Amino acid sequence: MTNPPFSVVVVSADASAALRIAMALQPIAGIHVVSVDEREDLVATVRAHDPLVVVGDASLVADEGRHVADVRAARAGIGFVVVTERPSLSDAVLALRARVDEFFPGEVADDRLREAVESVAATARLRLPAVVPGRVLVVGASLDAVLPGAGGTILMHVEAGDQVVVATLDEVADGPRPAALDAVTNHLGASIVPLAGRDATDDELRAALASLVDAQQPTLVSTHAASDASAAHRRLQRIVMEATPDVARVSCFQSSESSIDFAPTLFVDVDRVLEQKLAAMAAWSDDAAAAELVRASAAYWSRFGSGRACEPFELLRDAVTTGTERTVEVVRAPVASA
């Protein structure tokens, strides 16, 4: 049975190398090859031609795999093949971290390259139907806590096509700064809704949250950590856990109230959206010191993840169904031995 036609994007600053790869792939039935000589144009090309596979040289995984991550954010499930002319251990390590599908350290025969691309395309076809928009619920005491702790991850989810709802307590409900709230909403692309007033009882808060969870049916919930110094944060975290027993993934973000016991195991690369996150923070609260702290924190946590800026999360629950992993790429840190 003949496979349906599909597109492949070849990216290389070396025009002759790109031409060789394109010529090698031409015998594949139904293939459409598009060449790009600038990595910065890669995402736009992927969106325009909707390929199943990207083939490139080692520069594709440079900058800690930033270009691979950008493409995956634009088209989840896409396959990657890296072909290097001068193999190096660092290239292999970067390719491994970026989780490319095939890595050829050196010259590869045309028939072997075609075989790899067809195989990766077949795998991508299986991945694509399984990737559906996620539904993300972020619950926080205030936007002053949510934006520094999870603003970048919210932006990554929105860009990946996920539906994101941010629920906070009374400052949103009372609406003292509607223009600022509109500005934050525009920066994030997420819905920001009131949950309950700060004087709400546990039962009232639990009922409000249950109603929101029932309406949205989130696949991911993120809230404060149980170790936060703030009693209000700890209370909210407890009620969130009680109200979301059936949610597959639950995590806790870092805030200014996080204690030394905050122990993240999941790190989201937000380097590409860091400035947009800071713009959202500035729209809500013009605090230069907070912005500098966010920059420093993101740089610090990147040592455990990938890229140059990461947001840390404690992962409390992770019930994964095979074949349906979401599109926002995360890196888990190894658990330190006692």
Side-chain angles (χ1 to χ4, degrees):
M1 180 170 126
T2 304
N3 287 326
F6 67 98
S7 295
V8 172
V9 170
V10 176
V11 54
S12 176
D14 185 339
S16 61
L19 179 61
R20 285 197 301 272
I21 293 173
M23 294 297 293
L25 298 179
Q26 284 301 334
I28 298 176
I31 196 170
H32 173 58
V33 180
V34 180
S35 294
V36 180
D37 56 8
E38 293 290 341
R39 287 175 297 166
E40 302 303 330
D41 297 331
L42 182 56
V43 170
T45 304
V46 165
R47 286 177 173 151
H49 295 276
D50 203 24
L52 287 178
V53 184
V54 171
V55 182
D57 56 23
S59 67
L60 187 62
V61 294
D63 298 330
E64 298 295 332
R66 177 174 66 87
H67 295 286
V68 172
D70 288 351
V71 171
R72 283 184 174 138
R75 180 165 170 74
I78 197 168
F80 288 88
V81 176
V82 173
V83 182
T84 65
E85 291 188 357
R86 289 179 289 276
S88 72
L89 179 59
S90 62
D91 289 340
V93 170
L94 288 171
L96 180 64
R97 287 177 177 170
R99 299 202 301 277
V100 302
D101 297 84
E102 287 281 359
F103 175 77
F104 293 105
E107 293 186 8
V108 56
D110 289 355
D111 57 348
R112 179 67 187 95
L113 179 60
R114 287 192 292 270
E115 178 184 304
V117 167
E118 288 185 286
S119 175
V120 170
T123 301
R125 282 194 187 95
L126 295 176
R127 286 195 296 241
L128 291 174
V131 178
V132 296
R135 298 175 302 280
V136 180
L137 174 61
V138 181
V139 182
S142 67
L143 284 178
D144 287 319
V146 169
L147 294 176
T153 302
I154 290 170
L155 285 163
M156 296 295 287
H157 276 291
V158 170
E159 187 174 280
D162 294 339
Q163 176 193 77
V164 183
V165 174
V166 178
T168 67
L169 299 181
D170 57 3
E171 93 232 28
V172 172
D174 296 341
R177 290 182 284 165
L181 183 58
D182 287 344
V184 174
T185 301
N186 289 335
H187 280 297
L188 291 184
S191 299
I192 303 175
V193 301
L195 181 61
R198 293 180 184 275
D199 58 351
T201 66
D202 283 6
D203 286 342
E204 290 171 337
L205 189 54
R206 194 176 292 110
L209 187 57
S211 177
L212 184 57
V213 169
D214 184 62
Q216 193 198 11
Q217 294 293 302
T219 53
L220 165 63
V221 170
S222 190
T223 189
H224 295 292
S227 60
D228 277 8
S230 166
H233 286 193
R234 297 196 301 271
R235 172 193 180 222
L236 191 56
Q237 195 268 355
R238 172 175 54 81
I239 293 174
V240 168
M241 291 302 294
E242 292 172 357
T244 59
D246 298 323
V247 176
R249 177 173 277 196
V250 180
S251 67
C252 298
F253 53 83
Q254 186 181 39
S255 76
S256 61
E257 296 288 341
S258 293
S259 72
I260 196 171
D261 293 321
F262 181 72
T265 55
L266 183 151
F267 304 88
V268 180
D269 181 354
V270 297
D271 187 21
R272 187 162 46 83
V273 296
L274 182 59
E275 296 305 318
Q276 193 173 350
K277 165 184 171 172
L278 293 172
M281 289 175 55
W284 185 249
S285 176
D286 189 11
D287 187 342
E292 288 307 309
L293 182 60
V294 163
R295 286 187 187 276
S297 176
Y300 171 79
W301 291 115
S302 69
R303 61 198 287 248
F304 299 105
S306 62
R308 291 167 292 188
C310 283
E311 286 179 347
F313 293 83
E314 289 182 343
L315 190 57
L316 302 185
R317 185 186 305 135
D318 189 16
V320 176
T321 301
T322 302
T324 60
E325 188 175 354
R326 286 299 308 131
T327 60
V328 174
E329 298 299 323
V330 299
V331 178
R332 297 169 192 267
V335 178
S337 58

mmCIF file of all heavy atoms in Angstrom, residues 114-144:
data_model
loop_
_atom_site.group_PDB
_atom_site.id
_atom_site.type_symbol
_atom_site.label_atom_id
_atom_site.label_comp_id
_atom_site.label_asym_id
_atom_site.label_seq_id
_atom_site.Cartn_x
_atom_site.Cartn_y
_atom_site.Cartn_z
ATOM 1 N N ARG A 114 16.771 7.873 2.967
ATOM 2 C CA ARG A 114 15.366 7.765 2.547
ATOM 3 C C ARG A 114 14.586 6.836 3.484
ATOM 4 O O ARG A 114 13.453 7.118 3.870
ATOM 5 C CB ARG A 114 15.279 7.256 1.107
ATOM 6 C CG ARG A 114 15.694 8.273 0.067
ATOM 7 C CD ARG A 114 15.310 7.828 -1.323
ATOM 8 N NE ARG A 114 16.068 6.657 -1.771
ATOM 9 C CZ ARG A 114 17.220 6.740 -2.426
ATOM 10 N NH1 ARG A 114 17.757 7.933 -2.691
ATOM 11 N NH2 ARG A 114 17.846 5.646 -2.827
ATOM 12 N N GLU A 115 15.224 5.742 3.834
ATOM 13 C CA GLU A 115 14.591 4.780 4.737
ATOM 14 C C GLU A 115 14.284 5.434 6.088
ATOM 15 O O GLU A 115 13.196 5.238 6.656
ATOM 16 C CB GLU A 115 15.524 3.589 4.934
ATOM 17 C CG GLU A 115 15.027 2.532 5.885
ATOM 18 C CD GLU A 115 16.064 1.447 6.093
ATOM 19 O OE1 GLU A 115 16.501 0.841 5.090
ATOM 20 O OE2 GLU A 115 16.461 1.214 7.256
ATOM 21 N N ALA A 116 15.245 6.224 6.593
ATOM 22 C CA ALA A 116 15.051 6.886 7.886
ATOM 23 C C ALA A 116 13.928 7.912 7.814
ATOM 24 O O ALA A 116 13.073 7.980 8.710
ATOM 25 C CB ALA A 116 16.353 7.549 8.323
ATOM 26 N N VAL A 117 13.899 8.707 6.756
ATOM 27 C CA VAL A 117 12.879 9.747 6.625
ATOM 28 C C VAL A 117 11.487 9.123 6.496
ATOM 29 O O VAL A 117 10.522 9.588 7.117
ATOM 30 C CB VAL A 117 13.186 10.664 5.423
ATOM 31 C CG1 VAL A 117 11.987 11.546 5.083
ATOM 32 C CG2 VAL A 117 14.415 11.521 5.729
ATOM 33 N N GLU A 118 11.379 8.050 5.730
ATOM 34 C CA GLU A 118 10.074 7.377 5.591
ATOM 35 C C GLU A 118 9.624 6.788 6.924
ATOM 36 O O GLU A 118 8.438 6.841 7.277
ATOM 37 C CB GLU A 118 10.156 6.292 4.519
ATOM 38 C CG GLU A 118 10.246 6.834 3.108
ATOM 39 C CD GLU A 118 10.203 5.728 2.064
ATOM 40 O OE1 GLU A 118 11.225 5.023 1.916
ATOM 41 O OE2 GLU A 118 9.149 5.570 1.413
ATOM 42 N N SER A 119 10.560 6.235 7.675
ATOM 43 C CA SER A 119 10.231 5.657 8.974
ATOM 44 C C SER A 119 9.794 6.735 9.964
ATOM 45 O O SER A 119 8.800 6.572 10.688
ATOM 46 C CB SER A 119 11.440 4.895 9.521
ATOM 47 O OG SER A 119 11.190 4.424 10.835
ATOM 48 N N VAL A 120 10.530 7.846 9.984
ATOM 49 C CA VAL A 120 10.188 8.943 10.890
ATOM 50 C C VAL A 120 8.846 9.557 10.495
ATOM 51 O O VAL A 120 8.023 9.902 11.353
ATOM 52 C CB VAL A 120 11.302 10.012 10.895
ATOM 53 C CG1 VAL A 120 10.859 11.267 11.645
ATOM 54 C CG2 VAL A 120 12.573 9.437 11.517
ATOM 55 N N ALA A 121 8.586 9.665 9.195
ATOM 56 C CA ALA A 121 7.300 10.202 8.735
ATOM 57 C C ALA A 121 6.146 9.300 9.169
ATOM 58 O O ALA A 121 5.080 9.774 9.589
ATOM 59 C CB ALA A 121 7.303 10.357 7.214
ATOM 60 N N ALA A 122 6.356 7.994 9.083
ATOM 61 C CA ALA A 122 5.314 7.046 9.502
ATOM 62 C C ALA A 122 5.031 7.184 10.993
ATOM 63 O O ALA A 122 3.871 7.152 11.433
ATOM 64 C CB ALA A 122 5.743 5.622 9.165
ATOM 65 N N THR A 123 6.091 7.366 11.787
ATOM 66 C CA THR A 123 5.917 7.550 13.229
ATOM 67 C C THR A 123 5.200 8.867 13.520
ATOM 68 O O THR A 123 4.330 8.934 14.392
ATOM 69 C CB THR A 123 7.279 7.538 13.936
ATOM 70 O OG1 THR A 123 7.933 6.294 13.690
ATOM 71 C CG2 THR A 123 7.127 7.725 15.431
ATOM 72 N N ALA A 124 5.558 9.920 12.775
ATOM 73 C CA ALA A 124 4.916 11.219 12.972
ATOM 74 C C ALA A 124 3.422 11.145 12.656
ATOM 75 O O ALA A 124 2.609 11.763 13.343
ATOM 76 C CB ALA A 124 5.597 12.274 12.097
ATOM 77 N N ARG A 125 3.062 10.373 11.638
ATOM 78 C CA ARG A 125 1.633 10.212 11.309
ATOM 79 C C ARG A 125 0.868 9.615 12.479
ATOM 80 O O ARG A 125 -0.279 9.978 12.736
ATOM 81 C CB ARG A 125 1.465 9.305 10.089
ATOM 82 C CG ARG A 125 1.742 9.964 8.758
ATOM 83 C CD ARG A 125 1.232 9.108 7.614
ATOM 84 N NE ARG A 125 1.645 9.670 6.339
ATOM 85 C CZ ARG A 125 2.729 9.284 5.671
ATOM 86 N NH1 ARG A 125 3.508 8.328 6.187
ATOM 87 N NH2 ARG A 125 3.035 9.833 4.528
ATOM 88 N N LEU A 126 1.507 8.685 13.177
ATOM 89 C CA LEU A 126 0.853 8.050 14.325
ATOM 90 C C LEU A 126 0.752 9.012 15.502
ATOM 91 O O LEU A 126 -0.208 8.961 16.271
ATOM 92 C CB LEU A 126 1.631 6.800 14.750
ATOM 93 C CG LEU A 126 1.662 5.653 13.744
ATOM 94 C CD1 LEU A 126 2.542 4.529 14.272
ATOM 95 C CD2 LEU A 126 0.246 5.140 13.462
ATOM 96 N N ARG A 127 1.756 9.887 15.635
ATOM 97 C CA ARG A 127 1.754 10.818 16.761
ATOM 98 C C ARG A 127 0.738 11.936 16.569
ATOM 99 O O ARG A 127 0.087 12.361 17.516
ATOM 100 C CB ARG A 127 3.146 11.449 16.947
ATOM 101 C CG ARG A 127 4.184 10.520 17.535
ATOM 102 C CD ARG A 127 5.396 11.297 18.027
ATOM 103 N NE ARG A 127 6.115 11.986 16.981
ATOM 104 C CZ ARG A 127 7.390 11.759 16.668
ATOM 105 N NH1 ARG A 127 8.073 10.823 17.312
ATOM 106 N NH2 ARG A 127 7.977 12.452 15.733
ATOM 107 N N LEU A 128 0.627 12.430 15.350
ATOM 108 C CA LEU A 128 -0.179 13.619 15.116
ATOM 109 C C LEU A 128 -1.641 13.474 15.504
ATOM 110 O O LEU A 128 -2.189 14.356 16.169
ATOM 111 C CB LEU A 128 -0.049 14.059 13.649
ATOM 112 C CG LEU A 128 1.326 14.602 13.275
ATOM 113 C CD1 LEU A 128 1.403 14.867 11.785
ATOM 114 C CD2 LEU A 128 1.607 15.885 14.037
ATOM 115 N N PRO A 129 -2.347 12.399 15.147
ATOM 116 C CA PRO A 129 -3.754 12.323 15.523
ATOM 117 C C PRO A 129 -3.960 12.265 17.027
ATOM 118 O O PRO A 129 -5.011 12.616 17.532
ATOM 119 C CB PRO A 129 -4.223 11.017 14.868
ATOM 120 C CG PRO A 129 -3.245 10.748 13.789
ATOM 121 C CD PRO A 129 -1.942 11.258 14.328
ATOM 122 N N ALA A 130 -2.930 11.769 17.747
ATOM 123 C CA ALA A 130 -3.074 11.619 19.198
ATOM 124 C C ALA A 130 -2.882 12.929 19.943
ATOM 125 O O ALA A 130 -3.235 13.049 21.104
ATOM 126 C CB ALA A 130 -2.057 10.606 19.714
ATOM 127 N N VAL A 131 -2.320 13.934 19.275
ATOM 128 C CA VAL A 131 -2.043 15.202 19.935
ATOM 129 C C VAL A 131 -3.257 16.106 19.800
ATOM 130 O O VAL A 131 -3.579 16.565 18.718
ATOM 131 C CB VAL A 131 -0.797 15.879 19.334
ATOM 132 C CG1 VAL A 131 -0.557 17.229 19.992
ATOM 133 C CG2 VAL A 131 0.415 14.981 19.512
ATOM 134 N N VAL A 132 -3.952 16.322 20.875
ATOM 135 C CA VAL A 132 -5.140 17.161 20.874
ATOM 136 C C VAL A 132 -4.901 18.314 21.833
ATOM 137 O O VAL A 132 -4.086 18.223 22.753
ATOM 138 C CB VAL A 132 -6.379 16.356 21.311
ATOM 139 C CG1 VAL A 132 -6.679 15.264 20.313
ATOM 140 C CG2 VAL A 132 -6.188 15.759 22.699
ATOM 141 N N PRO A 133 -5.604 19.431 21.630
ATOM 142 C CA PRO A 133 -5.404 20.558 22.533
ATOM 143 C C PRO A 133 -5.660 20.172 23.981
ATOM 144 O O PRO A 133 -6.636 19.490 24.301
ATOM 145 C CB PRO A 133 -6.435 21.589 22.029
ATOM 146 C CG PRO A 133 -6.653 21.228 20.596
ATOM 147 C CD PRO A 133 -6.543 19.733 20.546
ATOM 148 N N GLY A 134 -4.770 20.596 24.857
ATOM 149 C CA GLY A 134 -4.947 20.325 26.271
ATOM 150 C C GLY A 134 -5.783 21.408 26.931
ATOM 151 O O GLY A 134 -6.080 22.455 26.336
ATOM 152 N N ARG A 135 -6.187 21.146 28.149
ATOM 153 C CA ARG A 135 -6.974 22.117 28.921
ATOM 154 C C ARG A 135 -6.241 22.335 30.249
ATOM 155 O O ARG A 135 -6.155 21.420 31.070
ATOM 156 C CB ARG A 135 -8.398 21.601 29.145
ATOM 157 C CG ARG A 135 -9.158 21.405 27.838
ATOM 158 C CD ARG A 135 -10.520 20.788 28.053
ATOM 159 N NE ARG A 135 -10.456 19.495 28.716
ATOM 160 C CZ ARG A 135 -10.162 18.353 28.112
ATOM 161 N NH1 ARG A 135 -9.894 18.338 26.825
ATOM 162 N NH2 ARG A 135 -10.132 17.210 28.785
ATOM 163 N N VAL A 136 -5.713 23.515 30.415
ATOM 164 C CA VAL A 136 -4.829 23.823 31.538
ATOM 165 C C VAL A 136 -5.533 24.780 32.494
ATOM 166 O O VAL A 136 -6.084 25.802 32.072
ATOM 167 C CB VAL A 136 -3.511 24.450 31.045
ATOM 168 C CG1 VAL A 136 -2.598 24.769 32.217
ATOM 169 C CG2 VAL A 136 -2.820 23.513 30.050
ATOM 170 N N LEU A 137 -5.506 24.440 33.781
ATOM 171 C CA LEU A 137 -6.071 25.297 34.814
ATOM 172 C C LEU A 137 -4.970 25.673 35.791
ATOM 173 O O LEU A 137 -4.337 24.794 36.388
ATOM 174 C CB LEU A 137 -7.197 24.579 35.545
ATOM 175 C CG LEU A 137 -7.809 25.307 36.755
ATOM 176 C CD1 LEU A 137 -8.421 26.642 36.335
ATOM 177 C CD2 LEU A 137 -8.847 24.423 37.447
ATOM 178 N N VAL A 138 -4.722 26.974 35.929
ATOM 179 C CA VAL A 138 -3.729 27.475 36.878
ATOM 180 C C VAL A 138 -4.478 28.206 37.989
ATOM 181 O O VAL A 138 -5.228 29.150 37.714
ATOM 182 C CB VAL A 138 -2.724 28.424 36.199
ATOM 183 C CG1 VAL A 138 -1.683 28.900 37.204
ATOM 184 C CG2 VAL A 138 -2.041 27.724 35.018
ATOM 185 N N VAL A 139 -4.291 27.770 39.216
ATOM 186 C CA VAL A 139 -5.016 28.330 40.356
ATOM 187 C C VAL A 139 -4.022 28.997 41.300
ATOM 188 O O VAL A 139 -3.081 28.345 41.776
ATOM 189 C CB VAL A 139 -5.799 27.236 41.114
ATOM 190 C CG1 VAL A 139 -6.594 27.860 42.264
ATOM 191 C CG2 VAL A 139 -6.729 26.478 40.170
ATOM 192 N N GLY A 140 -4.222 30.277 41.571
ATOM 193 C CA GLY A 140 -3.302 30.987 42.443
ATOM 194 C C GLY A 140 -4.006 31.988 43.319
ATOM 195 O O GLY A 140 -5.136 32.410 43.031
ATOM 196 N N ALA A 141 -3.339 32.397 44.380
ATOM 197 C CA ALA A 141 -3.912 33.385 45.279
ATOM 198 C C ALA A 141 -4.011 34.746 44.605
ATOM 199 O O ALA A 141 -4.920 35.524 44.894
ATOM 200 C CB ALA A 141 -3.072 33.475 46.548
ATOM 201 N N SER A 142 -3.090 35.034 43.695
ATOM 202 C CA SER A 142 -3.077 36.335 43.018
ATOM 203 C C SER A 142 -2.283 36.229 41.727
ATOM 204 O O SER A 142 -1.482 35.311 41.534
ATOM 205 C CB SER A 142 -2.451 37.399 43.921
ATOM 206 O OG SER A 142 -1.073 37.112 44.108
ATOM 207 N N LEU A 143 -2.495 37.214 40.852
ATOM 208 C CA LEU A 143 -1.683 37.265 39.630
ATOM 209 C C LEU A 143 -0.233 37.590 39.963
ATOM 210 O O LEU A 143 0.672 37.196 39.231
ATOM 211 C CB LEU A 143 -2.246 38.313 38.663
ATOM 212 C CG LEU A 143 -3.503 37.926 37.890
ATOM 213 C CD1 LEU A 143 -3.965 39.081 37.009
ATOM 214 C CD2 LEU A 143 -3.261 36.682 37.034
ATOM 215 N N ASP A 144 0.000 38.292 41.073
ATOM 216 C CA ASP A 144 1.371 38.586 41.489
ATOM 217 C C ASP A 144 2.137 37.312 41.816
ATOM 218 O O ASP A 144 3.372 37.299 41.790
ATOM 219 C CB ASP A 144 1.370 39.500 42.716
ATOM 220 C CG ASP A 144 0.964 40.922 42.362
ATOM 221 O OD1 ASP A 144 1.412 41.411 41.308
ATOM 222 O OD2 ASP A 144 0.199 41.533 43.124
#
